[in-house]
Amino acid sequence: MNICVAGVGYVGLVTGACFSGFGLRVTCVGRDASKISMLNQGKVPIYEPGLAELIEKNANEGRLSFTTDIKESVRNALVIFIAVGTPSDEHGGADLKYVEEVAKTIGQTMNGYKVVVTKSTVPVGTGKMIEAIIKENQTKPCAFDVASNPEFLREGSSIEDFMRPNRIVIGAESEQAVAILKDLYNPLYLIETPFVITDVATAEMIKYASNAFLATKISFINEMSAICDQVGADVHQVAKGMGLDGRIGRKFLHAGPGFGGSCFPKDTRAISQIARQYGYEFKIVDAVIKVNEERPEMMIERIVSALGGDLKGTLIGILGLTFKPNTDDMRESPTIPIIKGLQERGAKIQAYDPAGMEQARQYLRDIDYKEDLYTVAQGADALVLATEWNQFRNIDWERVKKVLRRPVVVDLRNIYDPQRMRAFGFHYTSVGRP
Ligand code: UDX
């Protein structure tokens, strides 16, 4: 079966590579000719463990190719996945201009029955909109179905998430479309993956509901950590004690500097905006967004207080810049407002991130980038752990202590043991732990 994936961003590339890994013939389409030519030479423009190898293997075996020619790929495909970007518009809603463009081209080009599937996170009702655009633009009448098949991939582990998902959600109104999409995911039947088959609007809502709920867990535990700080309780243990209740679950209860990335901030704003459009105020999600927006300032205050209340003339070493480990993605990373805030208060910043420094240059100014975690500590008044990369978990603290100017460590991800850090002689602060 031939598949076309429109969009060579994160979702498009992972979807295309993984479907070709299932043995399907996939063409990924992008507009940027230089990016497509890079991909055809085997160069992958995003950092994602295992993706380059998967692309190389399937491209070499002739199942995966990249092109700018959307018309040709639409004509050849039975299934077209729309995986283009849906950036936030000025009201926090999803801007659908790229989705609309692709739908228009599909309508103008289609030459037989197609299933058009949205993979991008799109507002409820987008499926209907795509259907209308395709119909309007058809030059000759052709049958087609529009379906929704949201992705739940996490950056840094997206291939594993695609190959071993918790569930597959398919929203489609025709049996033929459901049968074709089930067929695409056939290898996942063998590992007994649950399938949720529903209508398009419900599938679209499942994605927002899932992301908003996970973001709620994070803002909840972050607020909990602020209270723990006041009452002298340990948020880490609180999360463990809560999470062992099967109804709550242990995941997504790690207190930290707030959620970032390309999904949670954008999707929480979008669902709040969608609710507002329908005359409903989504109070919980609005609070989740507010808590998250206030988080960087709280982290800044923590660092200021660890340094005795004044940052003028200080040098701060930052470990980790990306919004989470195992990615080079800086989008909405909480380190951006945190570092800007520290600079505004007079601190100089030196930083190290295993993958994110190149992207960080687009978001941050006046940073002295270092080549490893020890040089980032060199001469600094404080070392701040901002992103919990694995390589930061086993640090030679004696060595760090020798090179720091003052023995101050601020751990925004709670990955070090407070007692051990104090035994090394550090003035150690974490988030919501006594
Ligand atoms: C998320 C969803 O998990 C995924 O299903 C969806 O498809 C896309 O959005 P991603 O953005 O890659 O994936 O990262 P995720 O691992 O979910 O983390 C998002 C943010 O939340 C990160 O900034 C992370 O540091 C933060 N986080 C996560 C916490 O602060 N605490 C936690 O307990 C979990």
Side-chain angles (χ1 to χ4, degrees), residues 254-280:
H254 299 286
F259 55 79
S262 62
C263 287
F264 287 173
K266 177 167 73 81
D267 292 351
T268 44
R269 288 192 296 260
I271 188 65
S272 162
Q273 165 73 6
I274 292 166
R276 231 185 331 273
Q277 270 169 7
Y278 285 89
Y280 188 77

Side-chain angles (χ1 to χ4, degrees), residues 166-245:
N166 289 162
R167 78 305 207 181
I168 294 291
V169 176
I170 295 175
E173 260 104 270
S174 98
E175 277 176 24
Q176 189 177 5
V178 171
I180 291 170
L181 287 173
K182 275 180 148 178
D183 203 27
L184 290 187
Y185 284 107
N186 197 30
L188 298 184
Y189 272 102
L190 303 173
I191 54 168
E192 295 180 4
T193 307
F195 278 65
V196 179
I197 311 288
T198 183
D199 55 82
V200 175
T202 306
E204 289 168 343
M205 201 52 155
I206 288 173
K207 178 66 201 266
Y208 280 114
S210 305
N211 276 355
F213 192 78
L214 291 169
T216 303
K217 280 185 99 173
I218 300 170
S219 277
F220 178 87
I221 204 69
N222 281 342
E223 287 215 279
M224 217 49 194
S225 80
I227 305 167
C228 284
D229 270 329
Q230 298 303 319
V231 302
D234 180 341
V235 74
H236 194 69
Q237 295 295 328
V238 170
K240 187 173 171 194
M242 284 168 65
L244 284 168
D245 184 329

Side-chain angles (χ1 to χ4, degrees), residues 10 121 151-157 161 167 207 210-211 214 217-218 221-222 250-265 267 322-325 332-334 387-388 413:
Y10 198 83
T121 310
E151 57 80 21
F152 300 96
L153 311 175
R154 287 164 305 168
E155 290 192 19
S157 54
D161 288 349
R167 78 305 207 181
K207 178 66 201 266
S210 305
N211 276 355
L214 291 169
K217 280 185 99 173
I218 300 170
I221 204 69
N222 281 342
R250 294 175 70 161
K251 293 182 178 161
F252 281 73
L253 285 178
H254 299 286
F259 55 79
S262 62
C263 287
F264 287 173
D267 292 351
T322 48
F323 79 101
K324 67 179 223 176
E332 306 221 23
S333 175
T387 312
E388 71 282 27
R413 299 280 185 172

Side-chain angles (χ1 to χ4, degrees), residues 381-401:
D381 294 281
L383 187 63
V384 176
L385 182 283
T387 312
E388 71 282 27
W389 285 85
N390 261 341
Q391 55 186 272
F392 300 154
R393 287 178 191 266
N394 285 311
I395 291 186
D396 179 349
W397 287 112
E398 295 292 356
R399 191 172 157 195
V400 168
K401 201 166 162 222

